[in-house]
Amino acid sequence: MTNSNPTMAPEQRVTTVFQLLQNASKTSYMGEEVTQLEHALQGAQLAKKDGADEATILAILLHDIGHLCPSTETCSNTSGKVWAAFHKTNVTADINEINHARLGAEYLHKLGFPEKTCELIDSHIVAKRYLSAKDPEYLAKLSVGSKQSLKLHGGPFSSAEMREFEKDPLFKVKVQIRKWEEAARVPGAKTPTLDTYREMAVRSLKQVV
């Protein structure tokens, strides 16, 4: 991916992205008892608590932005329709689910977010496939919606795919992102607000040359 050197000020770009998440404050996440926004905020809280760097915290906060951006050119809050259709095995919803990691990573990269943040977002499905193959307990504990999406993504990795993924320099971080993601589904959990991460996001954009 190549940055497009956006002309909007960092503050404007962050507002654009955060508004997509804020619009999802009442949108159920994969039919679970948390909203898309709550899921994102819980993940970011877990990452921050565990001492993750800012690029990683932003990655878990924004990892599902591709659900809210059905293409890298046009972004709108279609998540509710997507997940409602997904549970009825709608083709459009399936395509969105399969591609959402790449769509989100490309969208954020075009806005100037750090390479590491975008790569972690792009890989959060890959890490799920790895963990599903590596850890039977992880696979067994996946929610119904998560198991459905796993099938769409190709299922658990083969042994060869696992070995290749383990060579990735960001392997451990990518796996940890996925673990935070799975844990970030607690109904009623108290978290900092989205604005808590605004300065962090703006700072990350200003650091990208």
Side-chain angles (χ1 to χ4, degrees):
M1 291 185 286
T2 303
N3 272 110
S4 58
N5 191 23
T7 56
M8 280 195 302
E11 292 80 3
Q12 290 176 293
R13 283 177 267 157
V14 169
T15 294
T16 297
V17 174
F18 277 25
Q19 190 60 54
L20 291 170
L21 270 180
Q22 193 61 55
N23 289 347
S25 62
K26 295 182 180 179
T27 302
S28 175
Y29 174 71
M30 292 179 66
E32 300 200 23
E33 295 183 49
V34 294
T35 67
Q36 190 83 54
L37 177 60
E38 288 171 336
H39 176 61
L41 292 176
Q42 287 184 30
Q45 182 181 45
L46 290 170
K48 190 172 183 179
K49 181 180 178 181
D50 286 350
D53 62 28
E54 292 191 348
T56 302
I57 293 171
L58 289 173
I60 185 64
L61 178 69
L62 303 174
H63 73 281
D64 276 338
I65 203 71
H67 283 314
L68 310 179
C69 296
S71 78
T72 55
E73 299 297 330
T74 305
C75 297
S76 61
N77 183 27
T78 61
S79 181
K81 294 179 181 178
V82 166
W83 283 117
F86 170 62
H87 287 295
K88 296 178 182 178
T89 64
N90 179 280
V91 174
T92 301
D94 288 356
I95 292 172
N96 180 282
E97 168 57 24
I98 292 169
N99 295 333
H100 81 274
R102 177 56 52 86
L103 289 174
E106 289 182 351
Y107 169 66
L108 293 176
H109 198 269
K110 285 185 176 183
L111 286 178
F113 279 81
E115 291 277 356
K116 181 178 180 180
T117 297
C118 298
E119 182 176 347
L120 292 176
I121 289 171
D122 195 18
S123 300
H124 78 273
I125 291 173
V126 174
K128 177 181 179 179
R129 296 184 64 200
Y130 171 83
L131 283 169
S132 295
K134 181 74 173 179
D135 185 354
E137 186 175 346
Y138 169 89
L139 178 59
K141 288 182 178 180
L142 289 179
S143 66
V144 173
S146 198
K147 287 179 179 177
Q148 285 181 307
S149 65
L150 177 63
K151 292 179 181 178
L152 292 175
H153 299 142
F157 266 171
S158 66
S159 296
E161 288 172 323
M162 289 172 63
R163 289 193 296 270
E164 187 63 28
F165 183 53
E166 288 168 352
K167 298 176 184 177
D168 190 318
L170 290 176
F171 162 70
K172 290 184 179 180
V173 182
K174 290 177 178 180
V175 168
Q176 187 57 60
I177 284 271
R178 191 67 220 183
K179 290 180 178 179
W180 289 324
E181 196 277 348
E182 296 295 347
R185 306 171 188 231
V186 181
K190 300 297 182 183
T191 64
T193 65
L194 184 57
D195 270 344
T196 302
Y197 303 97
R198 183 174 295 275
E199 287 187 15
M200 181 187 297
V202 170
R203 186 163 54 248
S204 76
L205 290 174
K206 288 181 176 179
Q207 290 173 350
V208 175
V209 179

